[in-house]
Amino acid sequence: MALTSSMNWGINLLISLTFLTVTELIGLSWVCYIYTIMSLASLAFVIVFIPETKGCSLEQISMELAKQ
């Protein structure tokens, strides 16, 4: 959880620090397209590689991940 939270804060910081500069360089619409592509790529990654854990106990999740 700590790693995930740190990654989230780090990516948010990176976007916050670069948004205005990149917007001035390539324009707002292209920045939105780039963010859309990155979001769709991350959604595809989650759908393909992250197992569903809804309704599973921590023990079941742990056993399933250990198999992989």
Side-chain angles (χ1 to χ4, degrees), residues 10-25:
I11 296 298
N12 286 335
L13 178 64
L14 181 69
I15 289 172
S16 297
L17 292 174
T18 61
F19 180 77
L20 292 177
T21 305
V22 175
T23 301
E24 290 175 2
L25 291 174

Side-chain angles (χ1 to χ4, degrees), residues 1-66:
M1 291 295 288
L3 177 66
T4 304
S5 182
S6 298
M7 289 283 291
N8 186 24
W9 279 89
I11 296 298
N12 286 335
L13 178 64
L14 181 69
I15 289 172
S16 297
L17 292 174
T18 61
F19 180 77
L20 292 177
T21 305
V22 175
T23 301
E24 290 175 2
L25 291 174
I26 63 174
L28 180 60
S29 61
W30 283 105
V31 172
C32 290
Y33 291 140
I34 291 169
Y35 289 159
T36 301
I37 291 168
M38 291 188 319
S39 295
L40 291 174
S42 65
L43 177 63
F45 174 82
V46 168
I47 290 171
V48 172
F49 293 108
I50 306 298
E52 177 63 52
T53 58
K54 182 178 180 182
C56 297
S57 68
L58 289 176
E59 291 80 15
Q60 290 171 328
I61 295 169
S62 179
M63 287 176 24
E64 186 68 32
L65 293 176

